[in-house]
């Protein structure tokens, strides 16, 4: 066989579009998402969408500003959105996962940049994703400074996409919240979650959809809505609530409850030699948590290491500011309660953090 005979067949007029990347669709998507990005802005934004980089002027009477950054995604919650064909809420989840990490150290979120990887660009789908991101940015008080949409034919299926983002915030050097501020006697205040948030969906989907064969469109009596509506409930954005709380009360630090659960995430912001004792009897987890635990026969320890169990953010405050802190949160319509206290513990040479652990039993769970 000659070399000419063995050459691969090449279609006439080969193009990027024939390879699966539609530049025209990408440009149309940018046109559709532009109004959403425009409303998610701040006065410090210089220029607009379309440049190779976003510009942000760091204005204000900062003495010694520190920039804080955080990157995250939404995880397999996206599989639920894609299965239902509903793409306008996961963007809010994305913003929440990023800005609520930033605020833990006391940083005010300034701007966010997103990245959307998608098998095939459908402009209307991209618009809905970015709409959700813009909604979240407006709620968090940060700007959507820019982003990237990348079409990945052959790597991702047409209806699939993944999203991630990086956010930047600012905090004064002498106002950074950290474990160093935490003292025995401090009070732990819980802020209620809106549901599963954006963690544990691999287990939730396995239990409810794969093993339980539940219908995303089906009404679930315990939830008083469809399973799909419950699973797509957006993650609560606490950024502005936390900043307001830190401005009014002596907050030692915050802990964003994500993967790893309540105890593990709180331990990350405790200094060596202290123990945070958290009382389960102070709250009842939402029905979705009981549904997963019962349908999947998931042990309590596994539930608490995987899900937030109804606590999305934690504040550690000075004991004399407990009432003031709760009043601030209540005025901002944030469900809150005293979760526990910080006590002196045994310090070991190898310990890099303190310890948080749960005691007691949840009522009606």
């Amino acid at each position: 066989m000659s070399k000419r005979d063995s050459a691969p067949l090449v279609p006439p007029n080969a193009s990027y579009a024939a390879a699966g990347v539609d530049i025209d669709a990408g440009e149309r998507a940018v046109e559709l998402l532009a109004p959403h990005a425009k409303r998610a802005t701040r006065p410090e934004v210089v220029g607009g969408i379309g440049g190779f980089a976003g510009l942000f002027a760091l204005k204000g009477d900062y003495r010694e500003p520190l920039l804080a950054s955080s990157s995250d995604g939404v995880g397999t919650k996206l599989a639920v959105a894609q299965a239902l064909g509903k793409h306008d809420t996961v963007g809010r989840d994305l913003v929440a996962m990023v800005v609520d990490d930033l605020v833990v150290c006391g940083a005010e979120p300034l701007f966010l940049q997103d990245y959307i990887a998608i098998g095939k660009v459908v402009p209307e789908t991209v618009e809905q994703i970015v709409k959700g991101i813009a909604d979240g940015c407006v709620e968090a008080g940060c700007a959507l400074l820019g982003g990237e949409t990348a079409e990945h034919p052959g790597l991702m299926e047409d209806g699939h996409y993944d999203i991630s983002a990086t956010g930047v915030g600012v905090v004064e050097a002498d106002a950074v919240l950290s474990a160093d501020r935490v003292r025995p006697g401090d009070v732990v205040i819980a802020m209620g979650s809106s549901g599963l948030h954006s963690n544990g969906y691999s287990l939730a989907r396995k239990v409810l959809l794969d093993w339980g064969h539940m219908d995303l469109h089906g009404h679930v009596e315990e939830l008083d809505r469809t399973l799909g509506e419950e699973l797509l409930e957006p993650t609560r954005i606490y950024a502005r609530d936390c900043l307001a709380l830190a401005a009014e009360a002596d907050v030692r630090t915050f802990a964003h409850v994500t993967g790893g659960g309540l105890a593990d995430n709180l331990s990350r912001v405790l200094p060596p030699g202290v123990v945070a004792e958290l009382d389960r009897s102070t709250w009842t987890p939402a029905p979705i948590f009981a549904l997963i635990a019962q349908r999947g026969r998931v042990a309590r320890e596994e539930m608490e290491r995987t899900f937030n169990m109804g606590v999305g953010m934690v504040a550690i405050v000075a004991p004399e500011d407990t009432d003031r802190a709760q009043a601030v949160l209540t005025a901002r319509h944030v469900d809150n309660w005293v979760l526990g206290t910080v006590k002196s513990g045994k310090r070991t040479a190898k310990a890099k953090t303190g310890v948080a652990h749960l005691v007691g039993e949840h009522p009606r769970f």
Side-chain angles (χ1 to χ4, degrees):
M1 181 179 292
S2 69
K3 290 183 179 179
R4 182 184 296 265
D5 292 336
S6 63
L9 294 176
V10 178
N13 302 319
S15 66
Y16 210 7
V21 178
D22 190 339
I23 295 176
D24 291 336
E27 292 177 347
R28 173 60 178 155
V30 171
E31 291 177 5
L32 292 176
L33 64 83
H36 299 297
K38 187 175 182 180
R39 64 186 171 86
T41 189
R42 288 174 56 119
E44 302 95 330
V45 174
V46 178
I49 292 178
F52 285 91
L55 300 176
F56 190 94
L58 192 59
K59 299 177 180 179
D61 298 324
Y62 296 107
R63 301 182 307 278
E64 190 179 351
L66 297 179
L67 294 180
S69 67
S70 176
S71 297
D72 213 333
V74 178
T76 61
K77 186 172 187 174
L78 295 178
V80 179
Q82 292 162 22
L84 290 172
K86 182 173 173 57
H87 314 288
D88 61 346
T89 62
V90 290
R92 292 182 63 187
D93 291 293
L94 180 63
V95 175
M97 299 306 287
V98 173
V99 300
D100 287 344
D101 275 357
L102 287 175
V103 81
V104 165
C105 70
E108 176 190 1
L110 296 176
F111 61 83
L112 180 140
Q113 291 192 301
D114 66 79
Y115 181 85
I116 303 171
I118 191 166
K120 180 178 178 60
V121 170
V122 177
E124 292 75 16
T125 298
V126 175
E127 179 199 7
Q128 288 301 295
I129 296 171
V130 175
K131 175 186 180 299
I133 296 173
D135 289 342
C137 286
V138 170
E139 186 174 344
C142 66
L144 179 55
L145 193 58
E148 172 73 6
T149 300
E151 200 166 22
H152 289 169
L155 184 63
M156 304 178 74
E157 296 180 20
D158 285 357
H160 289 189
Y161 58 83
D162 195 10
I163 58 177
S164 64
T166 294
V168 172
V170 64
V171 59
E172 289 283 5
D174 60 2
V176 173
L177 305 179
S178 69
D180 295 338
R181 293 175 173 244
V182 178
R183 301 286 184 270
D186 287 345
V187 175
V188 183
I189 296 177
M191 300 180 217
S193 70
S194 57
L196 297 182
H197 282 184
S198 294
N199 295 104
Y201 272 76
S202 294
L203 177 57
R205 288 168 48 245
K206 180 64 69 175
V207 168
L208 302 177
L209 304 181
D210 295 353
W211 297 340
H213 303 292
M214 295 182 70
D215 181 2
L216 287 171
H217 298 279
H219 185 273
V220 181
E221 184 176 354
E222 302 99 300
L223 307 176
D224 196 28
R225 56 177 169 175
T226 69
L227 180 61
E229 289 171 336
E230 178 70 31
L231 295 183
L232 283 188
E233 179 67 36
T235 304
R236 171 115 199 191
I237 296 174
Y238 300 95
R240 280 181 161 174
D241 303 316
C242 290
L243 291 173
L245 179 57
E248 296 290 335
D250 186 358
V251 175
R252 312 299 204 193
T253 190
F254 295 105
H256 186 197
V257 183
T258 56
L262 174 57
D264 284 359
N265 281 285
L266 183 55
S267 295
R268 294 167 61 184
V269 296
L270 296 176
V274 304
V275 174
E277 190 171 275
L278 314 175
D279 189 355
R280 294 187 186 93
S281 71
T282 60
W283 89 101
T284 298
I288 183 62
F289 299 106
L291 185 67
I292 294 169
Q294 294 164 8
R295 294 288 182 103
R297 298 180 182 177
V298 183
R300 182 170 72 180
E301 180 182 3
E302 187 67 19
M303 289 291 297
E304 292 177 343
R305 291 182 64 241
T306 306
F307 302 105
N308 65 63
M309 297 300 288
V311 180
M313 181 72 78
V314 167
I316 299 180
V317 304
E320 63 271 18
D321 273 9
T322 302
D323 290 343
R324 177 188 295 271
Q326 289 198 266
V328 170
L329 292 173
T330 300
R332 297 184 64 83
H333 308 289
V334 179
D335 186 24
N336 69 90
W337 63 94
V338 172
L339 180 61
T341 56
V342 178
K343 302 178 180 180
S344 295
K346 188 175 181 180
R347 183 166 186 164
T348 63
K350 294 183 178 179
K352 296 182 178 180
T353 68
V355 176
H357 64 87
L358 289 147
V359 299
E361 302 292 334
H362 294 296
R364 303 180 305 280
F365 180 73

